[in-house]
Short mmCIF file of all heavy atoms in Angstrom, two decimals:
data_model
loop_
_atom_site.label_atom_id
_atom_site.label_comp_id
_atom_site.label_asym_id
_atom_site.label_seq_id
_atom_site.Cartn_x
_atom_site.Cartn_y
_atom_site.Cartn_z
N LEU A 1 162.01 68.21 85.49
CA LEU A 1 161.40 68.28 84.16
C LEU A 1 159.91 67.97 84.23
O LEU A 1 159.10 68.61 83.56
CB LEU A 1 162.10 67.32 83.20
CG LEU A 1 163.50 67.74 82.77
CD1 LEU A 1 164.24 66.57 82.14
CD2 LEU A 1 163.45 68.94 81.82
N ARG A 2 159.54 67.00 85.05
CA ARG A 2 158.12 66.66 85.21
C ARG A 2 157.35 67.86 85.78
O ARG A 2 156.23 68.15 85.35
CB ARG A 2 157.98 65.44 86.12
CG ARG A 2 156.59 64.90 86.12
CD ARG A 2 156.34 63.71 86.99
NE ARG A 2 157.49 63.02 87.50
CZ ARG A 2 157.54 61.73 87.72
NH1 ARG A 2 156.49 60.97 87.45
NH2 ARG A 2 158.59 61.17 88.24
N LEU A 3 157.94 68.55 86.76
CA LEU A 3 157.32 69.77 87.31
C LEU A 3 157.10 70.82 86.23
O LEU A 3 156.03 71.42 86.13
CB LEU A 3 158.23 70.38 88.37
CG LEU A 3 158.08 69.99 89.81
CD1 LEU A 3 159.23 70.56 90.63
CD2 LEU A 3 156.77 70.48 90.36
N VAL A 4 158.13 71.07 85.44
CA VAL A 4 158.06 72.08 84.39
C VAL A 4 157.02 71.68 83.34
O VAL A 4 156.17 72.49 82.94
CB VAL A 4 159.44 72.31 83.76
CG1 VAL A 4 159.35 73.16 82.51
CG2 VAL A 4 160.39 72.94 84.77
N LEU A 5 157.06 70.44 82.89
CA LEU A 5 156.07 69.98 81.90
C LEU A 5 154.66 70.09 82.45
O LEU A 5 153.74 70.53 81.75
CB LEU A 5 156.36 68.54 81.50
CG LEU A 5 157.54 68.31 80.56
CD1 LEU A 5 157.90 66.84 80.51
CD2 LEU A 5 157.24 68.85 79.18
N GLY A 6 154.46 69.69 83.71
CA GLY A 6 153.14 69.78 84.32
C GLY A 6 152.62 71.21 84.34
O GLY A 6 151.45 71.46 84.07
N GLY A 7 153.51 72.16 84.64
CA GLY A 7 153.11 73.56 84.66
C GLY A 7 152.76 74.09 83.28
O GLY A 7 152.07 75.10 83.16
N ALA A 8 153.21 73.40 82.25
CA ALA A 8 152.91 73.79 80.87
C ALA A 8 151.76 72.96 80.29
O ALA A 8 151.50 72.98 79.09
CB ALA A 8 154.15 73.64 80.00
N GLY A 9 151.08 72.18 81.16
CA GLY A 9 149.95 71.39 80.71
C GLY A 9 150.34 70.13 79.96
O GLY A 9 149.62 69.68 79.07
N SER A 10 151.47 69.56 80.33
CA SER A 10 151.99 68.40 79.62
C SER A 10 152.56 67.40 80.63
O SER A 10 152.38 67.55 81.83
CB SER A 10 153.08 68.88 78.64
OG SER A 10 153.53 67.84 77.83
N GLY A 11 153.23 66.39 80.14
CA GLY A 11 153.84 65.41 81.02
C GLY A 11 154.91 64.63 80.29
O GLY A 11 155.17 64.84 79.10
N LEU A 12 155.53 63.70 81.00
CA LEU A 12 156.61 62.91 80.41
C LEU A 12 156.13 62.13 79.18
O LEU A 12 156.91 61.88 78.26
CB LEU A 12 157.18 61.93 81.44
CG LEU A 12 157.89 62.54 82.65
CD1 LEU A 12 158.35 61.44 83.60
CD2 LEU A 12 159.05 63.42 82.24
N HIS A 13 154.86 61.77 79.12
CA HIS A 13 154.32 61.02 77.99
C HIS A 13 154.33 61.83 76.69
O HIS A 13 154.18 61.26 75.61
CB HIS A 13 152.89 60.54 78.30
CG HIS A 13 151.96 61.68 78.62
ND1 HIS A 13 151.92 62.26 79.88
CD2 HIS A 13 151.08 62.34 77.86
CE1 HIS A 13 151.03 63.24 79.86
NE2 HIS A 13 150.51 63.31 78.65
N ASP A 14 154.49 63.14 76.78
CA ASP A 14 154.50 64.01 75.60
C ASP A 14 155.90 64.31 75.06
O ASP A 14 156.04 65.03 74.07
CB ASP A 14 153.80 65.34 75.91
CG ASP A 14 152.31 65.17 76.15
OD1 ASP A 14 151.68 64.33 75.47
OD2 ASP A 14 151.76 65.88 77.01
N ILE A 15 156.93 63.76 75.70
CA ILE A 15 158.30 64.04 75.26
C ILE A 15 158.56 63.37 73.92
O ILE A 15 158.31 62.19 73.73
CB ILE A 15 159.34 63.56 76.29
CG1 ILE A 15 159.15 64.29 77.62
CG2 ILE A 15 160.76 63.77 75.77
CD1 ILE A 15 159.99 63.71 78.75
N VAL A 16 159.09 64.16 72.99
CA VAL A 16 159.46 63.68 71.67
C VAL A 16 160.97 63.44 71.59
O VAL A 16 161.42 62.45 71.02
CB VAL A 16 159.02 64.70 70.59
CG1 VAL A 16 159.51 64.29 69.21
CG2 VAL A 16 157.52 64.89 70.61
N MET A 17 161.74 64.35 72.19
CA MET A 17 163.20 64.30 72.07
C MET A 17 163.82 64.81 73.37
O MET A 17 163.32 65.76 73.96
CB MET A 17 163.65 65.20 70.91
CG MET A 17 165.12 65.39 70.73
SD MET A 17 165.85 63.93 70.00
CE MET A 17 167.56 64.38 70.01
N ALA A 18 164.88 64.15 73.80
CA ALA A 18 165.62 64.60 74.98
C ALA A 18 167.09 64.72 74.61
O ALA A 18 167.60 63.95 73.79
CB ALA A 18 165.45 63.61 76.12
N ARG A 19 167.76 65.68 75.25
CA ARG A 19 169.22 65.80 75.15
C ARG A 19 169.76 65.74 76.56
O ARG A 19 169.34 66.49 77.43
CB ARG A 19 169.63 67.12 74.49
CG ARG A 19 169.55 67.05 72.98
CD ARG A 19 170.05 68.34 72.37
NE ARG A 19 169.22 69.45 72.83
CZ ARG A 19 168.46 70.19 72.03
NH1 ARG A 19 168.46 70.00 70.74
NH2 ARG A 19 167.73 71.15 72.52
N VAL A 20 170.69 64.82 76.77
CA VAL A 20 171.31 64.60 78.07
C VAL A 20 172.75 65.06 77.99
O VAL A 20 173.46 64.72 77.04
CB VAL A 20 171.25 63.10 78.46
CG1 VAL A 20 171.91 62.87 79.81
CG2 VAL A 20 169.82 62.58 78.44
N TYR A 21 173.18 65.82 78.99
CA TYR A 21 174.55 66.31 79.07
C TYR A 21 175.18 65.72 80.32
O TYR A 21 174.64 65.87 81.42
CB TYR A 21 174.56 67.84 79.15
CG TYR A 21 173.79 68.48 78.02
CD1 TYR A 21 172.44 68.75 78.14
CD2 TYR A 21 174.43 68.82 76.82
CE1 TYR A 21 171.73 69.32 77.10
CE2 TYR A 21 173.72 69.40 75.78
CZ TYR A 21 172.37 69.64 75.92
OH TYR A 21 171.67 70.21 74.89
N LEU A 22 176.31 65.04 80.16
CA LEU A 22 177.02 64.41 81.27
C LEU A 22 178.44 64.95 81.37
O LEU A 22 179.14 65.00 80.36
CB LEU A 22 177.10 62.89 81.07
CG LEU A 22 175.80 62.11 81.09
CD1 LEU A 22 176.06 60.67 80.69
CD2 LEU A 22 175.15 62.19 82.45
N THR A 23 178.87 65.30 82.58
CA THR A 23 180.25 65.77 82.76
C THR A 23 181.23 64.62 82.91
O THR A 23 182.42 64.80 82.66
CB THR A 23 180.37 66.70 83.99
OG1 THR A 23 179.97 65.98 85.15
CG2 THR A 23 179.55 67.96 83.81
N GLN A 24 180.75 63.46 83.30
CA GLN A 24 181.60 62.27 83.46
C GLN A 24 181.00 61.15 82.61
O GLN A 24 180.51 60.15 83.14
CB GLN A 24 181.69 61.86 84.94
CG GLN A 24 182.25 62.92 85.85
CD GLN A 24 183.73 63.16 85.58
OE1 GLN A 24 184.48 62.24 85.30
NE2 GLN A 24 184.13 64.42 85.64
N PHE A 25 181.05 61.32 81.31
CA PHE A 25 180.34 60.45 80.38
C PHE A 25 180.66 58.97 80.59
O PHE A 25 179.76 58.16 80.80
CB PHE A 25 180.65 60.87 78.93
CG PHE A 25 179.76 60.22 77.93
CD1 PHE A 25 178.60 60.84 77.51
CD2 PHE A 25 180.07 58.98 77.40
CE1 PHE A 25 177.77 60.24 76.58
CE2 PHE A 25 179.24 58.37 76.47
CZ PHE A 25 178.09 58.99 76.06
N GLU A 26 181.91 58.62 80.51
CA GLU A 26 182.30 57.20 80.62
C GLU A 26 181.88 56.60 81.96
O GLU A 26 181.39 55.49 82.02
CB GLU A 26 183.81 57.03 80.42
CG GLU A 26 184.29 57.38 79.03
CD GLU A 26 183.74 56.44 77.95
OE1 GLU A 26 183.58 55.23 78.25
OE2 GLU A 26 183.47 56.91 76.84
N ARG A 27 182.07 57.35 83.02
CA ARG A 27 181.76 56.84 84.35
C ARG A 27 180.26 56.73 84.60
O ARG A 27 179.79 55.76 85.21
CB ARG A 27 182.39 57.76 85.40
CG ARG A 27 182.18 57.29 86.83
CD ARG A 27 182.57 58.32 87.84
NE ARG A 27 181.55 59.38 87.89
CZ ARG A 27 181.70 60.53 88.53
NH1 ARG A 27 182.83 60.79 89.17
NH2 ARG A 27 180.74 61.42 88.55
N ASP A 28 179.47 57.72 84.13
CA ASP A 28 178.08 57.85 84.55
C ASP A 28 177.03 57.41 83.53
O ASP A 28 175.84 57.34 83.85
CB ASP A 28 177.80 59.31 84.93
CG ASP A 28 178.52 59.72 86.20
OD1 ASP A 28 178.93 58.83 86.97
OD2 ASP A 28 178.68 60.94 86.42
N TYR A 29 177.44 57.11 82.31
CA TYR A 29 176.48 56.82 81.24
C TYR A 29 175.51 55.69 81.59
O TYR A 29 174.30 55.84 81.48
CB TYR A 29 177.24 56.50 79.94
CG TYR A 29 176.37 56.27 78.75
CD1 TYR A 29 175.70 57.33 78.14
CD2 TYR A 29 176.20 55.00 78.22
CE1 TYR A 29 174.89 57.12 77.04
CE2 TYR A 29 175.40 54.78 77.12
CZ TYR A 29 174.75 55.85 76.53
OH TYR A 29 173.96 55.64 75.44
N GLU A 30 176.02 54.55 82.01
CA GLU A 30 175.15 53.40 82.29
C GLU A 30 174.23 53.67 83.48
O GLU A 30 173.04 53.33 83.44
CB GLU A 30 175.97 52.14 82.52
CG GLU A 30 176.64 51.63 81.26
CD GLU A 30 175.67 51.34 80.12
OE1 GLU A 30 174.55 50.85 80.38
OE2 GLU A 30 176.03 51.63 78.95
N ALA A 31 174.75 54.25 84.54
CA ALA A 31 173.93 54.53 85.73
C ALA A 31 172.85 55.57 85.41
O ALA A 31 171.70 55.44 85.87
CB ALA A 31 174.81 55.00 86.88
N MET A 32 173.19 56.58 84.63
CA MET A 32 172.19 57.57 84.22
C MET A 32 171.10 56.89 83.41
O MET A 32 169.91 57.11 83.61
CB MET A 32 172.85 58.70 83.42
CG MET A 32 171.89 59.77 82.90
SD MET A 32 170.98 59.35 81.39
CE MET A 32 172.29 59.09 80.22
N ASN A 33 171.50 56.02 82.46
CA ASN A 33 170.52 55.32 81.62
C ASN A 33 169.56 54.47 82.45
O ASN A 33 168.37 54.40 82.14
CB ASN A 33 171.23 54.42 80.60
CG ASN A 33 171.64 55.18 79.37
OD1 ASN A 33 170.97 56.11 78.94
ND2 ASN A 33 172.75 54.78 78.80
N ALA A 34 170.05 53.82 83.48
CA ALA A 34 169.18 52.97 84.32
C ALA A 34 168.08 53.80 84.96
O ALA A 34 166.91 53.40 84.98
CB ALA A 34 170.01 52.26 85.38
N VAL A 35 168.43 54.98 85.48
CA VAL A 35 167.42 55.85 86.09
C VAL A 35 166.51 56.43 85.02
O VAL A 35 165.28 56.40 85.15
CB VAL A 35 168.10 56.98 86.91
CG1 VAL A 35 167.06 57.98 87.40
CG2 VAL A 35 168.89 56.39 88.06
N TYR A 36 167.09 56.96 83.95
CA TYR A 36 166.32 57.56 82.85
C TYR A 36 165.27 56.57 82.34
O TYR A 36 164.10 56.91 82.21
CB TYR A 36 167.29 57.96 81.74
CG TYR A 36 166.66 58.56 80.52
CD1 TYR A 36 166.51 59.94 80.40
CD2 TYR A 36 166.23 57.76 79.46
CE1 TYR A 36 165.94 60.50 79.26
CE2 TYR A 36 165.67 58.31 78.33
CZ TYR A 36 165.52 59.68 78.23
OH TYR A 36 164.96 60.22 77.10
N ARG A 37 165.68 55.35 82.05
CA ARG A 37 164.79 54.33 81.50
C ARG A 37 163.61 54.06 82.43
O ARG A 37 162.49 53.78 81.97
CB ARG A 37 165.59 53.05 81.27
CG ARG A 37 164.84 51.97 80.53
CD ARG A 37 165.69 50.72 80.31
NE ARG A 37 166.84 50.99 79.46
CZ ARG A 37 168.12 50.95 79.87
NH1 ARG A 37 168.41 50.64 81.13
NH2 ARG A 37 169.11 51.21 79.06
N SER A 38 163.80 54.17 83.73
CA SER A 38 162.74 53.85 84.69
C SER A 38 161.56 54.82 84.64
O SER A 38 160.49 54.52 85.16
CB SER A 38 163.31 53.80 86.11
OG SER A 38 163.60 55.11 86.59
#
């Protein structure tokens, strides 16, 4: 996503809204959040 945003003249600091899709929601939610938050 950072690569794509950079190519469009933007960056992570410009994100207004994100949608996250998980195939193993219960198992992966907390671990995904830890990485996402970083």
Side-chain angles (χ1 to χ4, degrees):
L1 287 165
R2 191 181 346 212
L3 269 171
V4 170
L5 285 167
S10 186
L12 295 178
H13 59 278
D14 292 324
I15 298 171
V16 175
M17 174 76 184
R19 278 184 299 244
V20 180
Y21 306 89
L22 295 173
T23 59
Q24 301 291 322
F25 191 93
E26 294 295 325
R27 183 191 74 190
D28 291 341
Y29 184 72
E30 291 303 323
M32 178 279 300
N33 276 327
V35 173
Y36 178 93
R37 188 179 297 113
S38 74

